[in-house]
Amino acid sequence: LLRFNIASLSSNVNQWQEVFDQLGDEFTRAEVESALSRTESNTPVRTVLYKWRLLGVIEDLEKGRTGKTNQPTVVKFKKVKK
């Protein structure tokens, strides 16, 4: 029943639609994390980004390295226009 809750702000296609709408056309991992905290979502940033990539709504724009382990990671993303 929750899947078809029309009054809700959530989307059946994109679970984090409210977060997605808060972001600009280009955004960083930190901006996603900030938007997730504003919407009180406990979902890890990497999970959200992974799902958005699978849906084809974002693409990687710039790679960098993580602070703690210095591992390569994507740090900037771009919304895909459809």
Side-chain angles (χ1 to χ4, degrees), residues 5-78:
N5 184 359
I6 296 180
S8 173
L9 292 176
S10 64
S11 167
N12 290 336
V13 176
N14 185 349
Q15 184 176 354
W16 301 278
Q17 186 67 45
E18 186 179 354
V19 173
F20 191 76
D21 292 341
Q22 291 179 20
L23 301 168
D25 288 339
E26 293 182 4
F27 54 91
T28 64
R29 181 180 293 271
E31 291 171 331
V32 175
E33 188 171 8
S34 175
L36 283 169
S37 68
R38 281 193 303 271
T39 60
E40 299 178 358
S41 175
N42 294 328
T43 308
V45 175
R46 68 183 194 157
T47 302
V48 174
L49 294 171
Y50 172 75
K51 299 285 185 167
W52 285 349
R53 279 190 200 102
L54 286 180
L55 289 170
V57 296
I58 66 168
E59 60 185 29
D60 300 345
L61 197 59
E62 182 181 319
K63 294 187 181 209
R65 295 195 170 271
T66 60
K68 293 180 183 176
T69 59
N70 206 24
Q71 295 293 317
T73 187
V74 180
V75 293
K76 195 164 188 180
F77 306 90
K78 177 178 155 186

